[in-house]
Amino acid sequence: MKRLLWRAASLAALAIGLWSMPMAAIVAQTLPNHVDPSAREEAPDLAQVPAIRFLTTGDFPPFNFRDGVGELTGFNIDLARGICAVIEARCTIQTWPWEQVQQALSDNQGDALIAGLSIDEATAEKFDFSHVYLALPARFVTEKSGAGFRPEVMSRVAVRQGSVHADYLKTFFPWHEAVAFDTEFEALEAVANNEVNAYFGDAMRASFWLNDHPDCCAFAGDPYFDRAYFGPGLTIAVRAGQDSVRAAINWALARLKRDGSLDGYYLKWFPVGFY
């Protein structure tokens, strides 16, 4: 089973470097709003959830990874600890290899999996999922020096070869000439080198590259959300039937959105916002 997010050595190397260097000033940015803070969900019986054993992996920055001194950190780690604090549950976070972590959850070696597991037919048979806490939209990227962005006048647009984003561009922007590259970063470099008018692809991955090229390029236009192409987003998996754990997590997610903690995690780990 594939992780919802694309795994690549180049992404990991870039991300680790990103969080080891001083950050540029964080500008005002649109925040994710997938958890409705005003939702009137019935408060769960928290006595049924005295502890949550989170399972994750340790090799996927900025979501879950070990820092320079070996400490487990990342967006998902902050979120897991925040959930436990809200419901006043004892919290443990254990790392597993990606190839084994699903089976560990199935074998009751943990209560919840927070590691970007995709929701598909196979996983839906074994697990239930929390509300989405972070969707991964598609975005256009153009040069900062370019004129006002208008998708209808873009001619040559860089995409990653074989990606869902390339399929989306072909379907919904058929007047564009798609120029395919082996990786997202090669496609983005084509924008910087004036080989194409724009890039279209995963906004989260593009945000890492933009952080490293602040004077060159920027997101253009609005984010595109489409579950059929880009998936529902990031959720937390629990074993099927573990309704008390899932209800407690959903309730905590709403509370973390309401008190600003969820937004704080996003701003901390994504200084170049992708919304």
Side-chain angles (χ1 to χ4, degrees):
M1 208 60 56
K2 293 184 178 179
R3 192 184 294 218
L4 177 63
L5 305 176
W6 175 70
R7 306 183 68 187
S10 57
L11 174 59
L14 175 62
I16 290 171
L18 177 63
W19 288 286
S20 64
M21 67 177 68
M23 291 299 172
I26 298 175
V27 298
Q29 55 177 276
T30 303
L31 296 168
N33 193 27
H34 308 298
V35 177
D36 183 358
S38 64
R40 289 173 114 17
E41 290 200 32
E42 184 177 347
D45 182 0
L46 299 182
Q48 296 185 43
V49 191
I52 299 181
R53 300 168 297 159
F54 278 101
L55 303 177
T56 189
T57 64
D59 61 350
F60 200 59
F63 293 96
N64 22 273
F65 67 104
R66 296 196 180 276
D67 62 17
V69 296
E71 292 293 325
L72 188 62
T73 189
F75 179 94
N76 282 342
I77 307 308
D78 285 350
L79 179 58
R81 290 170 177 155
I83 289 169
C84 289
V86 165
I87 65 178
E88 299 181 349
R90 296 187 304 277
C91 192
T92 60
I93 306 175
Q94 189 178 46
T95 60
W96 285 75
W98 174 249
E99 297 75 16
Q100 300 174 21
V101 71
Q102 285 189 58
Q103 191 60 49
L105 181 61
S106 295
D107 292 344
N108 196 26
Q109 299 193 58
D111 303 304
L113 170 57
I114 184 166
L117 180 65
S118 61
I119 303 175
D120 56 30
E121 247 181 76
T123 58
E125 288 182 0
K126 298 185 292 184
F127 308 121
D128 293 331
F129 294 86
S130 73
H131 296 327
V132 172
Y133 61 84
L134 186 66
L136 303 175
R139 297 284 308 259
F140 283 99
V141 173
T142 63
E143 280 191 300
K144 276 188 173 180
S145 58
F149 174 74
R150 289 187 296 155
E152 64 271 17
V153 302
M154 295 288 103
S155 54
R156 289 168 56 81
V157 178
V159 294
R160 179 168 67 87
Q161 178 72 44
S163 66
V164 294
H165 305 90
D167 294 339
Y168 189 91
L169 189 78
K170 180 179 179 181
T171 300
F172 295 100
F173 300 94
W175 56 88
H176 292 319
E177 177 191 351
V179 183
F181 292 83
D182 289 338
T183 71
E184 279 88 352
F185 299 135
E186 290 175 358
L188 286 159
E189 290 290 344
V191 179
N193 295 332
N194 292 309
E195 298 172 24
V196 294
N197 300 122
Y199 160 84
F200 184 75
D202 182 87
M204 185 270 291
R205 294 193 286 274
S207 74
F208 300 151
W209 186 89
L210 289 171
N211 188 85
D212 206 35
H213 299 77
D215 299 323
C216 155
C217 307
F219 286 123
D222 297 321
Y224 294 85
F225 298 91
D226 192 314
R227 290 173 65 103
Y229 281 86
F230 314 133
L234 298 180
T235 63
I236 299 170
V238 302
R239 288 187 310 284
Q242 295 297 301
D243 294 336
S244 59
V245 176
R246 185 163 61 96
I249 288 172
N250 284 338
W251 185 75
L253 287 173
R255 294 284 297 271
L256 291 169
K257 179 62 180 178
R258 187 180 301 121
D259 69 18
S261 297
L262 196 55
D263 295 338
Y265 305 150
Y266 176 78
L267 292 170
K268 172 183 176 181
W269 291 105
F270 301 101
V272 177
F274 50 88
Y275 279 65

